[in-house]
Amino acid sequence: MATKLLLLFAICRLIVIVGLTLDPTTDPIVIVGIDGQLTVDRHDIVSASTDFGKMTRTEPTAVLHPASSNDVVKLIRLAHESAHGFTVSARGHGHSINGQSQTTAGGNGVVIKMTGSRRNTPVPEVDEKLMYVDVWGGELWIDVLKSTLKYGLAPKSWTDYLYLSVGGTLSNAGISGQAFNHGPQINNVHEMDVVTGKGELLTCSMDKNPELFHAVLGGLGQFGIITRARIALEHSPQRVRWIRVLYSNFSAFTHDQEYLISLHNQPQSQKFDYVEGSVIVDEGLINNWRSSFFSPKNPVKISSLGAGGNVLYCLEITKNYYAGSNPKSIDQEVEALLKKLKYIPASVFTSDLPYVDFLDRVHKAEKKLRSKGLWEVPHPWLNLFVPKSRIGDFDKGVFKGILGNKTSGPILIYPMNKNKWDEKSSVVTPDEDIFYLVALLRSALDNGEETLTLKHLLEENRKILRFCKESKIKVKQYLPHYTTQKEWMEHYGEKWNQIHRRKMEFDPRHILATGQRIFEPSFSSVRRSW
């Protein structure tokens, strides 16, 4: 009885807030004017109230499972025109860390579940001749890959984890080891359909509605919800030569990384296709899930490498090739590139595998962690863009200083070329030709070890940010998280005026993506809750 009363109360609240008409004769209840399902079911509400970070919880008033772009249009138009006012947040696979895809705490909000089994949205459509694919904004990249491989094609730029939504990564940037060559995923989009905060469905590209196009790419969901994206494709390789080499000298490590990304304009045979790196401050982590590449039967010991210190750096590179390629030619290309690098002798680890297996490598790790109960835990991740000129100072202060010898997860570090990023997008990066991603992808564990607790890891994150500020290292957060508009203004710097102007143009009531906490909603009921 109590459950039914709560459901009835939720439905009544929904009618008042959203202003829709219910058809009470149907089961489940149908919202008149919506082809999908707008639900107050507890399972949906609870699912939409948290994310991968597992550090925040905010329950929405309702969850929309859209059947098409029109459902998104209708809901946002209602929000924009509503006298009561309510916020709308798009959610893909829920892989945000700090509640970015949630609604505003204490306010009236609806989450649009763009990714899910109950949707009836468009399937990917591939154009073989023009080499692009049109996909629904909630499509997962793994499903985009499966659709395009049927035609021997694949997107150019990736993220390390493929179980993320297209709209989600394009709202941030979407980066991996291919970014030095192809740029981030936002640089590989031809066109999008976007529903603005005024409930307008607009097609945008570099030539059509360009202001909206550039605003939405890397825009953190502030200017519109992506319902369709046209992604650039290339002919897909079939196999990958996957190589890892180790360094004890940080300068040699970064020098080699920077050399490899400088080859981006060279012919395919004279460069690697993927360049990433990682930091190993804990001997156990050299054989952890991220480094499952190494043989568990023959674990690598830092001490056995003659590193002369407690920190190692791992360079991870790949050479893509086709099934009909001459293996000797691939060997020669790899050898020619490796000869120019200064890694620790005898630390070369090589594997050869299908292209799909390489791209989907993190999902295999996910399965292992899930089986051990180590996936559904808090993830206090910190992702920073660090200017090349200060990466050495960052190494001394953070990798060899603040972190100690326990990390509770992989630490990625790799450089990117700024000229591969479109400055017209909403993303902000350091003002240098080369900058590094440093990603501390850590998990908080309740195993009795104080250094692995959420409290300890969050405090370490604060120490790292404080160190950068005091040392005047002008980092920029990737997947940024701030709690005040002043902090956001500092983050955007000279771009702030542009961000504010775009917000007023495309979402004047500040309805969208309030979980980012950049702009307060314009209606008082939510404003008071901040």
Side-chain angles (χ1 to χ4, degrees):
M1 179 63 72
T3 302
K4 289 183 178 179
L5 287 174
L6 286 172
L7 179 59
L8 182 60
F9 174 77
I11 292 171
C12 292
R13 184 167 177 245
L14 184 61
I15 294 171
V16 172
I17 295 168
V18 182
L20 292 176
T21 303
L22 298 178
D23 181 355
T25 65
T26 61
D27 184 22
I29 294 171
V30 172
I31 309 298
V32 177
I34 297 288
D35 295 326
Q37 185 179 8
L38 186 63
T39 176
V40 292
D41 177 77
R42 282 303 298 168
H43 174 77
D44 287 316
I45 296 296
V46 171
S47 176
S49 70
T50 187
D51 60 14
F52 180 70
K54 294 287 187 293
M55 294 183 291
T56 63
R57 178 181 171 82
T58 305
E59 289 195 359
T61 301
V63 175
L64 172 65
H65 297 271
S68 66
S69 298
N70 289 333
D71 284 351
V72 180
V73 168
K74 290 172 184 176
L75 182 70
I76 296 180
R77 190 171 292 165
L78 282 164
H80 177 66
E81 298 173 353
S82 169
H84 296 278
F86 64 94
T87 63
V88 178
S89 294
R91 176 187 174 95
H93 199 52
H95 210 75
S96 59
I97 301 301
N98 293 286
Q100 289 94 333
S101 63
Q102 296 169 23
T103 54
T104 306
N108 299 320
V110 178
V111 167
I112 301 179
K113 188 70 170 67
M114 298 293 289
T115 302
S117 59
R118 285 191 285 178
R119 65 183 178 86
N120 186 31
T121 46
V123 297
E125 295 185 9
V126 175
D127 189 311
E128 292 181 80
K129 183 177 180 181
L130 298 179
M131 296 183 70
Y132 68 72
V133 58
D134 280 329
V135 298
W136 169 250
E139 199 76 43
L140 298 182
W141 282 101
I142 181 65
D143 295 320
V144 175
L145 176 62
K146 290 176 181 177
S147 298
T148 58
L149 284 177
K150 296 175 183 177
Y151 302 87
L153 302 172
K156 300 177 181 179
S157 190
W158 295 97
T159 57
D160 286 336
Y161 182 56
L162 302 189
Y163 288 75
L164 304 174
S165 69
V166 170
T169 64
L170 296 184
S171 294
N172 288 281
I175 55 175
S176 185
Q178 303 90 1
F180 82 93
N181 194 25
H182 295 294
Q185 290 182 319
I186 57 174
N187 272 41
N188 292 273
V189 182
H190 295 314
E191 181 181 280
M192 295 181 292
D193 286 342
V194 174
V195 182
T196 70
K198 294 185 284 188
E200 300 172 318
L201 177 59
L202 300 174
T203 298
C204 58
S205 66
M206 294 185 71
D207 301 315
K208 185 176 184 179
N209 295 313
E211 185 75 11
L212 178 61
F213 181 74
H214 294 301
V216 169
L217 293 173
L220 305 178
Q222 294 301 300
F223 313 105
I225 294 177
I226 301 168
T227 58
R228 178 185 65 90
R230 179 166 291 178
I231 309 297
L233 303 176
E234 64 179 358
H235 292 292
S236 174
Q238 281 82 48
R239 297 197 65 81
V240 171
R241 186 70 55 82
W242 187 9
I243 305 142
R244 289 183 180 179
V245 295
L246 299 174
Y247 294 75
S248 59
N249 183 289
F250 186 72
S251 295
F253 170 68
T254 54
H255 175 274
D256 284 356
Q257 282 194 317
E258 290 164 18
Y259 164 70
L260 292 175
I261 73 166
S262 74
L263 304 176
H264 61 92
N265 286 327
Q266 296 299 314
Q268 194 70 24
S269 61
Q270 297 177 31
K271 63 183 177 184
F272 285 115
D273 297 286
Y274 165 100
V275 177
E276 281 199 13
S278 57
V279 182
I280 304 165
V281 300
D282 180 344
E283 183 160 283
L285 283 176
I286 198 170
N287 303 294
N288 80 340
W289 68 268
R290 174 83 192 185
S291 302
S292 56
F293 177 89
F294 302 117
S295 172
K297 295 180 180 179
N298 185 26
V300 179
K301 296 290 186 181
I302 291 179
S303 57
S304 69
L305 295 168
N310 295 323
V311 180
L312 282 178
Y313 309 94
C314 177
L315 173 63
E316 185 176 347
I317 43 188
T318 71
K319 169 68 72 172
N320 301 339
Y321 64 97
Y322 298 96
S325 301
N326 185 336
K328 289 186 178 180
S329 297
I330 302 301
D331 291 342
Q332 291 170 355
E333 291 175 14
V334 169
E335 186 62 30
L337 287 164
L338 288 178
K339 279 182 179 178
K340 299 180 180 181
L341 307 182
K342 299 177 181 178
Y343 51 86
I344 298 174
S347 73
V348 181
F349 302 86
T350 302
S351 180
D352 201 281
L353 69 167
Y355 183 59
V356 175
D357 290 356
F358 172 74
L359 291 180
D360 199 30
R361 62 199 180 281
V362 177
H363 184 52
K364 292 183 178 180
E366 175 191 350
K367 291 179 179 178
K368 293 180 181 178
L369 290 174
R370 283 188 182 279
S371 69
K372 298 177 181 178
L374 298 176
W375 186 259
E376 298 291 337
V377 298
H379 296 95
W381 288 7
L382 180 63
N383 294 270
L384 301 173
F385 288 148
V386 182
K388 168 191 168 182
S389 64
R390 302 301 304 276
I391 195 65
D393 296 322
F394 192 94
D395 171 58
K396 294 173 186 175
V398 178
F399 302 148
K400 295 187 175 83
I402 294 172
L403 293 184
N405 63 356
K406 291 289 182 182
T407 62
S408 185
I411 305 170
L412 307 187
I413 173 172
Y414 56 91
M416 287 173 279
N417 295 306
K418 190 178 179 72
N419 62 7
K420 294 290 184 178
W421 292 66
D422 190 341
E423 288 297 297
K424 295 178 182 178
S425 77
S426 293
V427 178
V428 286
T429 58
D431 191 22
E432 292 190 9
D433 292 340
I434 294 175
F435 59 90
Y436 280 77
L437 170 75
V438 176
L440 292 94
L441 309 181
R442 305 189 290 178
S443 302
L445 304 177
D446 187 16
N447 62 358
E449 194 166 343
E450 196 275 334
T451 57
L452 303 182
T453 63
L454 178 60
K455 180 181 178 181
H456 181 85
L457 295 176
L458 287 174
E459 179 57 30
E460 275 195 343
N461 287 348
R462 286 190 284 269
K463 287 181 181 178
I464 292 169
L465 293 172
R466 190 160 55 245
F467 165 76
C468 291
K469 187 173 184 179
E470 292 173 353
S471 302
K472 294 181 170 56
I473 302 176
K474 296 181 179 179
V475 300
K476 292 293 183 182
Q477 285 193 35
Y478 176 59
L479 312 178
H481 169 61
Y482 300 103
T483 57
T484 68
Q485 193 173 83
K486 181 181 178 182
E487 291 174 316
W488 280 108
M489 292 172 73
E490 292 175 356
H491 170 76
Y492 281 111
E494 294 179 355
K495 271 193 175 182
W496 172 253
N497 289 337
Q498 180 189 65
I499 295 295
H500 186 269
R501 175 177 54 79
R502 287 172 169 176
K503 186 69 171 179
M504 294 307 297
E505 179 178 356
F506 300 117
D507 183 23
R509 293 198 70 188
H510 304 172
I511 291 165
L512 300 175
T514 52
Q516 297 280 3
R517 296 187 174 274
I518 304 175
F519 296 95
E520 294 185 13
S522 62
F523 32 92
S524 59
S525 64
V526 176
R527 182 184 294 274
R528 285 196 298 270
S529 72
W530 278 47

